[in-house]
């Protein structure tokens, strides 16, 4: 038997650990313990043998057996309530921290848990946080059994009772190891500089060669920890890339580090000089500082790191009967909030009304509303379908959870190539090219001068170290996202910057986007209304988040300090709303929606929008609204008109076309009376023409168009009705800066 065969048989097939002298086998593969053997059979029997094709011996050592009863405490009602993020009886969601996640095989396995147990509906791994989010059927599998399944395959959930109490949790610094490596590299770098003084003074009186040689070996001793420990952050990914036959940027960096260290040891050992240990230690130190800076950048901009930071989602808080708009992250347990039709519930809350219908598509991807009764816990991310109701907040708002909803797979766009993808692809060719040039240089010079050959070989590897290339993309994209966030443009992820820069066509919605939701002149024209009828109209309008509805309500709010209870509420995007208030059937919206005849239509007023009203099926008149455009629009359109193709697509009539032409230009494509489907088809048409489309809308009637566009920007103005299909949430006050944002994105790229 060959040595290679002995080694192969004494390495565990599952985890790669050394097997005992008499390994445990299944007749084909050796294992270090019965646990690894059991997991291997479990994966093979479930059709997950591909796990071992992605990377050899990727598993976690299973020597520590896990008792099936270890996780029974998770089924306690109080513990379950703290861990479960969502549960509607059919789908439950939970997130577990699993520190054992270490490679692509782990991600692949954990995202295929449904093949191990069909009660698992889906799973998603967040590699940076070592976290897996699992969706499961709570009627078929208990939370304890989900945790036990993870433990069974080697990914023990990191759960302690202390972690269930977030107030007492002391989070470990995930960068501790990196700080230690930076400290060692910095200490060595500083001292190597001091020990190199004899070399700097070479030739001066009183400095002999033996003294220089001694300090050269002291420099080697100081550099060894840097090479063997501090540099491992580059060596490990490089080795993994080689094993998986994928050339990455760390391979080129590792070659430069090895060449510089090896060349220095070579010179010191042969007495040619003291090498470049100071430069070597400095390079590793600066690379590690750069990596820390990169991590800090992403931690700063990441929505998953600090839920207390500003998230542009507002909610109406009720204080002594008064409605006060507040940022959702300022809500506290016990606060009473009012949610209107189409708005998100920003935190787990208890329903105070007799009943409500909640759309959990934000959480599950399924848009079928769920009926809930008074006292029921409604989970964050539920969208209200129906009349406005009040809730009592039962958990603080977690910004990381809101962002996870925003990034739900149901709303993801097709993946597109980004700068990081380009740099990663470039590295596949860069590292082999550098090696080829280095070897060719050495071969060319070796016959005439071996010393020159060594110089040429190491010089190519050192000079070609792609340090700047490795860090430029994450630094640029990270900082651009942070800067845009400070200017109230909140990007879903850093890659959106690249799409902002590539946009060549902008499509604007009008109502709520170019016009303000709060400022307007409102006038009712039609039959006279009695007090009950006016009160019924106000109560109906109060439940809508549409910009025109908000303008009408603002004109009526001073007259009514409270509103009537309503029933049978319905709101159809692009048409209008209907409900029953104080026994009166109210409809508000377009003329066609309320059934107004052609003879009822007023003369065209080019400066006003109209919201028609019918009571008990009889059209009674309309609210005429003169919209106020947002400030700064003239400067905005001057800044983008020459460089971008502009379009307007609105569900309103063309009454304000004459006011819009000066902004867009006389030859611009202005489309009115467009349904949500029309908007979607228009975006699809532009994309087929090869346009990179940026769409701006208020998130109410524009969800399909925002999702279809290359960049969807949802305007937020004291509302929680933005769409998860958007890539950017922009505070309405920042619209006038859009031209500067586009230029900034282009310069970043």
């Amino acid at each position: 038997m060959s040595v290679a065969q002995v080694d192969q048989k004494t390495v565990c097939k599952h985890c790669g650990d050394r097997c005992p002298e008499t390994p445990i086998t299944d007749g084909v593969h050796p294992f270090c313990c019965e646990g690894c053997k059991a997991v291997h059979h479990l994966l093979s029997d479930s059709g997950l043998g591909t796990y071992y094709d992605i990377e050899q011996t990727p598993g976690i050592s299973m020597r520590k057996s896990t008792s099936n009863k270890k996780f029974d405490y998770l089924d306690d009602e109080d513990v379950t309530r703290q861990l479960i993020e969502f549960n509607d009886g059919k789908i439950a969601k939970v997130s577990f921290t699993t520190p054992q996640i270490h490679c692509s095989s782990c991600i692949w396995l954990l995202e295929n848990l449904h093949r191990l147990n069909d009660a698992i509906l889906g799973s998603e791994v967040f590699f940076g946080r070592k976290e897996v989010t699992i969706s499961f059927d709570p009627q078929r599998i208990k939370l304890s059994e989900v945790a036990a399944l993870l433990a069974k395959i080697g990914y023990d959930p990191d759960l302690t009772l202390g972690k269930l109490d977030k107030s007492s949790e002391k989070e470990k610094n995930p960068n501790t190891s990196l700080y230690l490596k930076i400290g060692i590299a910095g200490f060595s770098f500083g001292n190597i500089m001091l020990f190199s003084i004899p070399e700097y003074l070479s030739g001066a009186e009183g400095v002999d060669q033996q003294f220089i040689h001694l300090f050269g070996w002291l420099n080697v001793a100081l550099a060894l920890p840097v090479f063997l420990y501090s540099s491992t952050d580059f060596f490990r990914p490089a080795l993994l890339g080689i094993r998986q036959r994928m050339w990455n940027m760390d391979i080129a960096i590792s070659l430069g580090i090895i060449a510089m260290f090896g060349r220095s040891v070579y010179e010191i050992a042969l007495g040619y000089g003291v090498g470049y240990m100071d430069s070597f230690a400095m390079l590793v130190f600066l690379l590690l500082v750069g990596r820390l800076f990169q991590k800090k950048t992403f931690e700063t901009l990441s929505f998953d790191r600090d839920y207390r930071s500003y998230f542009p989602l507002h909610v109406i808080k009720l204080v002594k009967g008064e409605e006060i708009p507040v940022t959702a992250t300022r809500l506290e347990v016990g606060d009473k909030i009012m949610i209107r039709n189409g708005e998100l519930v920003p935190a787990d809350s208890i329903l105070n009304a007799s009943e409500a219908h909640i759309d959990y598509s934000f959480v599950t991807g399924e848009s079928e509303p769920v009926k809930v009764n008074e006292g029921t816990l409604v989970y964050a991310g539920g969208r209200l379908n129906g009349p406005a109701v009040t809730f009592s907040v039962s958990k603080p708002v977690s910004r990381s959870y809101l962002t996870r909803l925003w990034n739900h797979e149901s709303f993801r766009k097709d993946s597109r190539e980004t700068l990081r993808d380009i740099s990663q692809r470039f590295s596949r060719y860069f590292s082999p090219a550098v090696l080829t040039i280095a070897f060719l240089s050495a071969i060319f010079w070796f016959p005439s001068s071996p010393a020159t050959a060594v110089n040429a070989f190491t010089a190519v590897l050192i000079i070609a170290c792609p340090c700047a290339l490795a860090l430029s993309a994450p630094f640029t994209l990270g900082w651009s996202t942070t800067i845009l966030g400070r200017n109230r443009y909140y990007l879903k992820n850093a890659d959106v910057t690249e799409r902002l820069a590539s946009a060549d066509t902008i499509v604007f919605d009008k109502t709520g986007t170019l016009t303000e939701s709060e400022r307007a002149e409102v006038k009712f024209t039609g039959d006279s209304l009695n007090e009950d009828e006016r009160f019924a109209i106000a109560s109906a309008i109060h439940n809508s988040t549409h910009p025109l509805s908000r303008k009408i309500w603002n004109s009526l709010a001073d007259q009514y300090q409270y509103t009537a209870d309503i029933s049978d509420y319905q709101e159809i995007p692009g048409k209008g709303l209907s409900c029953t208030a104080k026994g009166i059937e109210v409809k508000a919206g377009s003329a066609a929606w309320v059934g107004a005849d052609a003879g009822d239509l007023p003369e065209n007023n080019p400066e006003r929008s109209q919201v028609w009203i019918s009571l008990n099926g009889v059209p009674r008149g309309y609210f005429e609204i003169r919209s106020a455009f947002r400030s700064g629009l003239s400067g905005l359109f001057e800044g983008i008109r020459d460089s971008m193709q502009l379009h307007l697509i609105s569900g309103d009539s063309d009454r304000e076309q004459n006011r819009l032409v000066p902004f867009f230009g006389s030859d611009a494509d202005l489309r009115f009376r467009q349904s949500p489907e029309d908007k979607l088809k228009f975006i699809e048409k532009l994309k087929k023409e090869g346009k990179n489309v940026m769409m701006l809308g208020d998130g109410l009637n524009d969800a399909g168009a925002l999702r279809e566009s290359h960049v969807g920007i949802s305007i937020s103005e004291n509302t929680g009705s933005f769409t998860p299909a958007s890539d950017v949430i922009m505070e309405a006050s920042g619209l006038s800066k859009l031209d500067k944002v586009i230029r900034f994105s282009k310069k970043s790229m």
Side-chain angles (χ1 to χ4, degrees), residues 339-343 356-359 382-389 391:
I339 304 297
R340 297 170 300 203
N341 178 64
E343 290 186 330
H357 290 83
I358 306 297
D359 172 6
R383 186 188 294 273
L384 180 65
N385 278 358
V389 293
F391 294 85

Side-chain angles (χ1 to χ4, degrees), residues 263-337:
R263 169 70 181 272
S264 299
V265 173
Y266 168 79
E267 289 192 3
I268 292 170
L270 297 182
Y272 294 155
V274 294
Y276 310 98
M277 288 302 184
D278 50 353
S279 299
F280 159 74
M282 178 180 66
L283 173 65
V284 175
F285 173 74
L286 293 178
L287 282 172
L288 290 173
V289 169
R291 185 153 290 188
L292 176 65
F293 183 70
Q294 174 186 335
K295 284 189 174 185
K296 289 293 184 181
T297 299
F298 279 106
E299 287 174 5
T300 300
L301 65 93
S302 174
F303 282 160
D304 301 312
R305 296 294 179 180
D306 184 7
Y307 69 85
R308 293 166 297 181
S309 299
Y310 180 77
F311 189 83
L313 176 64
H314 295 75
V315 68
I316 299 298
K317 179 179 176 180
L318 300 177
V319 180
K320 297 180 180 180
E322 184 179 356
E323 299 178 5
I324 302 175
V326 298
T327 304
T329 47
R330 295 183 180 178
L331 292 177
E332 298 179 355
V333 175
D335 283 350
K336 193 172 183 180
I337 59 176

Side-chain angles (χ1 to χ4, degrees), residues 313 315 328 331 337 339 342-350 358 360 362 378-384 389 391 393 397 401-402 405 720:
L313 176 64
V315 68
L331 292 177
I337 59 176
I339 304 297
E343 290 186 330
L344 297 177
V345 180
D348 292 357
S349 306
I350 303 296
I358 306 297
Y360 278 122
F362 237 145
V378 176
Y379 293 94
R383 186 188 294 273
L384 180 65
V389 293
F391 294 85
V393 177
V397 174
Y401 186 59
L402 287 174
L405 298 178

Side-chain angles (χ1 to χ4, degrees), residues 23 33 93 100 105 125 142 177 188 193 235 249 326 348 351-352 416 443 512 580 634 676 680 698 717:
C33 62
K93 286 180 175 283
Q100 299 87 355
S105 294
V125 174
K142 295 186 290 187
S177 174
S188 300
M193 291 290 289
F235 294 157
M249 199 67 67
V326 298
D348 292 357
L351 177 65
N352 294 331
R416 301 180 70 236
I443 292 171
T580 300
S634 297
L680 173 59
D698 57 20
E717 187 173 38

Side-chain angles (χ1 to χ4, degrees), residues 591-611:
W593 172 249
V594 304
D597 294 331
D600 299 329
L601 298 177
E603 294 182 4
N604 183 49
N605 187 330
E607 295 189 353
R608 295 180 181 270
S609 299
Q610 294 174 349
V611 175

Side-chain angles (χ1 to χ4, degrees), residues 410-427:
S410 301
F411 307 106
R412 287 178 186 163
K413 300 179 188 292
D414 295 335
S415 60
R416 301 180 70 236
E417 189 178 76
T418 66
L419 182 60
R420 284 182 290 183
D421 298 325
I422 294 171
S423 62
Q424 192 64 29
R425 190 186 69 220
F426 174 69
S427 67

